Amino acid sequence: GDTIPRIGMIPETTTAIYEKEIFNTYELFDIPVFIGYEKIKEKWRFGIEAGVLANISLKTKGIIPNQSFDDINIETQQDEIFKSKIGLSYHLGLTASRKLNKNRNWWFTISPSVRIIPSDITTESYGLSQKYTLLGARVGVRYNFGTK
């Protein structure tokens, strides 16, 4: 076959994969505003809730990589990396409860939910974006005061 000699700069691409397991803590202090509806059907209670959470404080602990993949302590450099408040987030939850006794005061309840944080929690100057969708659930026994 034919060969074509090349003289000069030849571009080269190198790919590297870094794997690291990191555990961080993000503490959010929010003011929730929810609205909900529940329907009781004999031994069962079903409900839905939706609302917004206004974040008034964000605190962080742990490490994250910078653009060069060096570890940064996010607690000591929080002001440069993270916003002090992340604004509004959105919540949607469902509830299913089963009556545990005759007078309907004690209920076993399970409530799955989703919270969407649509805005970036990092500062613009940091250069990496972090947005979250959080799935959660509450499971427990609920007592309703003053109901039959």
Side-chain angles (χ1 to χ4, degrees):
D2 292 337
T3 57
I4 301 172
R6 291 195 179 240
I7 301 172
M9 302 291 284
I10 299 173
E12 180 182 326
T13 303
T14 303
T15 302
I17 298 174
Y18 297 95
E19 287 188 32
K20 188 174 206 172
E21 193 169 310
I22 299 172
F23 296 95
N24 293 331
T25 302
Y26 300 89
E27 296 176 5
L28 303 167
F29 186 71
D30 303 310
I31 298 173
V33 179
F34 291 172
I35 188 166
Y37 176 78
E38 281 191 334
K39 181 77 174 169
I40 298 174
K41 281 279 208 193
E42 296 177 19
K43 295 181 179 185
W44 290 93
R45 175 181 279 182
F46 299 98
I48 187 168
E49 63 184 16
V52 296
L53 295 107
N55 179 258
I56 58 173
S57 175
L58 169 65
K59 303 265 189 240
T60 61
K61 291 179 186 172
I63 59 170
I64 60 173
N66 64 10
Q67 292 170 322
S68 304
F69 298 102
D70 298 320
D71 289 343
I72 296 175
N73 182 331
I74 59 176
E75 187 173 9
T76 59
Q77 296 184 0
Q78 178 169 335
D79 294 341
E80 294 128 37
I81 300 169
F82 291 97
K83 296 175 182 175
S84 60
K85 301 176 207 163
I86 57 172
L88 296 179
S89 59
Y90 307 101
H91 168 89
L92 178 65
L94 301 173
T95 300
S97 301
R98 172 101 164 62
K99 181 172 62 167
L100 296 177
N101 63 350
K102 276 187 167 185
N103 65 8
R104 292 189 182 190
N105 285 359
W106 290 97
W107 297 81
F108 173 75
T109 302
I110 185 165
S111 301
S113 64
V114 63
R115 178 178 180 175
I116 299 169
I117 303 174
S119 62
D120 204 336
I121 69 168
T122 54
T123 60
E124 287 184 31
S125 62
Y126 178 60
L128 294 176
S129 175
Q130 289 189 33
K131 298 178 183 179
Y132 290 94
T133 299
L134 308 171
L135 301 175
R138 294 184 309 253
V139 177
V141 177
R142 180 167 96 176
Y143 182 81
N144 293 328
F145 294 94
T147 60
K148 295 276 180 187

